Amino acid sequence: MVKSAVLGFPRIGPNRELKKATEGYWKGNVTKDELLAVGKQLREQNWKLQQSIGVDYIPSNDFSFYDQVLDLELLFNVIPDRYSKYDLDPLDTLFAMGRGLQRKDVDVTALEMVKWFDSNYHYVRPTFSHGMDYKLNGSKPIDEFLEAKKLGIQTRPVLLGPVSFLTLGKADKDSLDLDPISLLDKFLPLYEEVITKLIDAGATDIQLDEPVLVLDLDQQAKDAIVKAYNYLGKALSPKINIFLTTYFGTVVPNLDVLQNLPVKGYHFDFVRSPEQLDSILKSIDFNEKILSVGIVDGRNIWKNDLAKSTAFVQSIIDKYNLSSKNIVVATSSSLLHTPVDLDNEHKLDRNIVDWFSFATQKVLEVVAIALKLNGDTSVDDIFKKNLKSITARKNSVLTNDEAVQKRVAAIDDKLATRKSPFVERVTVQKEIFNLPLFPTTTIGSFPQTKDIRINRNKFVKGTITPEEYETFIKSEIEKVIRFQEEIGLDVLVHGEPERNDMVQYFGEQLQGYAFTENGWVQSYGSRYVRPPIIVGDLSRPKPMSVKESVYAQSITTKPVKGMLTGPITCLRWSFPRDDIDQKTQALQLSLALRDEVQDLEAAGIKIIQVDEPALREGLPLRAGKERSDYMDWAAEAFRVATAGVQDKTQIHSHFCYSDLDPNHIKALDADVVSIEFSKKDDPNYVAEFKNYPNHIGLGLFDIHSPRVASKDEFITKVDTILETYPAAKFWVNPDCGLKTRDWYETKLSLTNMVDAAKHFREEYKNKA
């Protein structure tokens, strides 16, 4: 019989229970025991839900209080000395490594955080050094397996595989000559030890995720896969069934290393890469192995076409004469990237809701496909309703706007090119702004206080009038402007008190978007987002941000930046359509933003920032034509949005938490860019931008951490940057927006940052 599997389930809770408990613990309002109890309750809910639906392979160890990769770092004692020296308990060590910790007896920054492949999830990068004592340092996977077992639920524990764990890590700043993959021999016995303990606890199956198999791997990494799974397979078979799992792309270039491994089965993502099917089935004998078919999308919210998916799996069985017992129907990846339950949505148009499927519904889809393949007629009504939904979406007039399509078709090179090159623009801009050396600014948002959230909620519910809400927003903008003037920032922002989210705020004002009430997805730690959903062609009916920007500029003589979210970020941080290509969606967004940029300029806003933090996230995972094509159309979309202004208007952009290529940023032709830098400890990173022609600000403090950097720390960091980067082109700014911080931290951090900039102005003045 065909079986069903889920690779991972959201851990946040249907009502964000984990966020509330975790942040309560950080604030001292929730005890450790209370936080642990919430985690236990959420795990139990998730397991029981999947059991009740009928999933055969239910995951465990997919829960985390912060990040699953960080959990593994603690499990294997990959803990830099700067954390272990404080003798914190495991939970506080986890949080210190993930977000930093500063209190009377502890002062430590967070580890580097980067995007998980091409998703908007952020993981904490494992950081290795020569002196680390790698050992088993806990029992989380075993504890959670036993927890489920006590409930009468047999789970399949999930671990990030050894090669991915090492490949996705980096050497610490004191061990830069260390290649993490060289540590494989030290970690294989640790994996064996953990899995042996799981076997002793009663586990019969284990899921080892090796998502790096969809990347361009060098021979050393390929050899490591062969070595790792020969070691684990021979050491642990037949005591446990190892399922080697990949997702987010094709494994075809690395298929040679998978052919003869002693594992029970393989999982592949056929949502992202259905074209890999024949190559896989010709390379691996699935009469001997189990094939897990990732056919229900773990990354998007569109309802699965059940008939099409069932036919796809049946064709595999028929064409290759495979036994049904060797087939597993599964989610393409963990469902971590999707909201928890569509039944929590009560205000969306019911016709549109019928097109969607969240994590809970995706579990139902997986099981329904498996049952249909097994000839179970109980799912016939489900398939009929599904076909009706798929057909309704395909034929809906909501998805098509002829005027938008014609406008996209008319885009040409002229539309995407500034009137003059940067070397000419910068001369004009210097005369207009007359900024000092080391100009200071922030990225955009200021703290979203409880008062702001309360008033926004009142406005949404209609308990205050639009006029009352506008008066409140103006008072918040003035507060932010006066604070920035007081501490001496040079280029100001209005603070964004009116904005709920940097994509949602604009999406709510564009035609073609839909929005959820409870469609929360974890981005990192306790930071959850509600990605908007692109349901049709996109356009801007009226100005979206001009009113607030104009008001902010009217109450100060200093320049105030207009703040917009760029087309690639609006696309990547939404759930995109799956019925047209992403380039078309990006260009539709770029035209809507072009209209907004030109309206801001016409209203007297002289500096406009169009943020693209998701630019690198969208880069295809493998080098080649697809990647170069993406960079071409992504840069084109940004330039279409920004190139319609005069030379005197300064265009800024911002990027964060990614490994960036200066050539990609150069292609945007922004006048000034700001880049997350505070967690970077590679001395070569600054050098990569040495020849970047335009102006740049490397972020000087981590806005995801409550820790406050001192003036001396800022000075030391800038000193290091100036060893490589020219002072005349360097801006001083934080890593990212400040909406998640409180005012106390914000005031101290920005004051210290501005004081450091003043220090360098004096220093360079004296040199002159």
Side-chain angles (χ1 to χ4, degrees), residues 420-438:
S420 305
F422 174 74
V423 290
E424 296 178 22
R425 301 195 306 262
V426 71
T427 302
V428 175
Q429 292 166 13
K430 280 181 178 178
E431 291 179 2
I432 292 172
F433 300 118
N434 193 30
L435 296 171
L437 198 61
F438 303 104

Side-chain angles (χ1 to χ4, degrees), residues 31 37 55 210 240 262 301 305 380 494 637 664 674 706 743 749:
T31 67
V55 177
E210 291 287 5
I240 194 167
I301 49 71
D305 186 332
D380 287 354
H494 78 281
H664 297 162
S674 55
W743 266 104
S749 295

Side-chain angles (χ1 to χ4, degrees), residues 226-388:
V226 175
K227 182 175 185 176
Y229 287 88
N230 275 319
Y231 177 99
L232 293 173
K234 290 172 182 176
L236 300 166
S237 296
K239 293 176 284 188
I240 194 167
N241 298 319
I242 297 174
F243 288 83
L244 180 52
T245 302
T246 72
Y247 38 79
F248 297 165
T250 178
V251 299
V252 170
N254 297 320
L255 257 178
D256 54 321
V257 304
L258 299 180
Q259 290 177 348
N260 299 303
L261 299 181
V263 299
K264 183 67 173 179
Y266 298 88
H267 171 88
F268 303 102
D269 184 344
F270 293 114
V271 173
R272 288 288 291 272
S273 298
E275 73 284 351
Q276 66 182 323
L277 175 64
D278 285 339
S279 296
I280 289 169
L281 290 171
K282 289 174 182 176
S283 299
I284 300 171
D285 184 359
F286 285 103
N287 288 302
E288 300 294 329
K289 307 287 186 184
I290 291 176
L291 173 62
S292 176
V293 183
I295 197 64
V296 172
D297 195 347
R299 290 276 298 270
N300 212 331
I301 49 71
W302 300 106
K303 185 169 285 188
N304 187 277
D305 186 332
L306 296 180
K308 182 178 178 181
S309 294
T310 304
F312 179 85
V313 181
Q314 188 63 55
S315 71
I316 297 173
I317 296 171
D318 295 342
K319 182 177 180 180
Y320 289 90
N321 195 28
L322 300 181
S323 169
S324 295
K325 70 179 182 180
N326 285 356
I327 300 294
V328 175
V329 173
T331 57
S332 63
S333 65
S334 169
L335 297 174
L336 171 72
H337 311 282
T338 59
V340 177
D341 193 348
L342 190 59
D343 288 346
N344 287 339
E345 300 302 321
H346 306 292
K347 294 183 180 179
L348 272 169
D349 183 317
R350 301 321 295 173
N351 293 317
I352 294 177
V353 167
D354 191 50
W355 302 346
F356 303 155
S357 175
F358 291 178
T360 300
Q361 288 69 44
K362 289 177 184 295
V363 175
L364 289 161
E365 290 173 344
V366 166
V367 172
I369 294 167
L371 290 173
K372 186 72 170 179
L373 288 162
N374 290 327
D376 191 326
T377 58
S378 67
V379 295
D380 287 354
D381 284 345
I382 294 174
F383 272 66
K384 288 177 184 177
K385 291 177 181 177
N386 177 263
L387 177 60
K388 185 177 179 181

Side-chain angles (χ1 to χ4, degrees), residues 364-565:
L364 289 161
E365 290 173 344
V366 166
V367 172
I369 294 167
L371 290 173
K372 186 72 170 179
L373 288 162
N374 290 327
D376 191 326
T377 58
S378 67
V379 295
D380 287 354
D381 284 345
I382 294 174
F383 272 66
K384 288 177 184 177
K385 291 177 181 177
N386 177 263
L387 177 60
K388 185 177 179 181
S389 300
I390 298 298
T391 304
R393 180 189 171 206
K394 190 180 297 183
N395 296 333
S396 174
V397 296
L398 295 174
T399 61
N400 296 295
D401 185 324
E402 187 176 347
V404 173
Q405 293 167 10
K406 285 181 177 179
R407 198 176 174 198
V408 169
I411 292 174
D412 57 17
D413 289 343
K414 183 178 179 181
L415 203 69
T417 306
R418 291 286 295 267
K419 291 179 170 58
S420 305
F422 174 74
V423 290
E424 296 178 22
R425 301 195 306 262
V426 71
T427 302
V428 175
Q429 292 166 13
K430 280 181 178 178
E431 291 179 2
I432 292 172
F433 300 118
N434 193 30
L435 296 171
L437 198 61
F438 303 104
T440 57
T441 190
T442 66
I443 304 307
S445 61
F446 268 73
Q448 290 263 322
T449 63
K450 183 178 181 180
D451 197 28
I452 290 174
R453 293 193 297 271
I454 288 172
N455 277 274
R456 182 186 299 134
N457 193 40
K458 287 180 178 178
F459 173 61
V460 170
K461 291 182 175 180
T463 57
I464 60 174
T465 66
E467 293 76 19
E468 288 172 321
Y469 184 61
E470 183 174 344
T471 299
F472 170 75
I473 290 299
K474 283 184 174 181
S475 70
E476 290 295 315
I477 291 173
E478 182 165 10
K479 182 195 303 181
V480 169
I481 292 292
R482 298 296 170 241
F483 165 70
Q484 293 173 92
E485 290 177 328
E486 178 186 332
I487 66 169
L489 281 163
D490 300 301
V491 175
L492 313 187
V493 297
H494 78 281
E496 306 177 12
E498 79 285 6
R499 303 187 186 183
N500 42 24
D501 175 81
M502 65 183 293
V503 176
Q504 181 181 348
Y505 177 75
F506 293 104
E508 286 174 339
Q509 300 180 74
L510 294 171
Q511 296 281 8
Y513 265 110
F515 297 87
T516 66
E517 292 174 84
N518 295 295
W520 298 100
V521 177
Q522 185 180 25
S523 179
Y524 63 87
S526 69
R527 169 71 169 151
Y528 304 167
V529 294
R530 274 186 303 157
I533 302 169
I534 302 176
V535 295
D537 289 331
L538 297 156
S539 61
R540 185 199 75 144
K542 61 182 181 180
M544 302 179 286
S545 66
V546 175
K547 180 173 62 176
E548 291 80 11
S549 296
V550 168
Y551 173 71
Q553 187 62 82
S554 74
I555 59 175
T556 183
T557 58
K558 291 190 172 186
V560 178
K561 292 189 285 190
M563 302 297 304
L564 303 175
T565 304

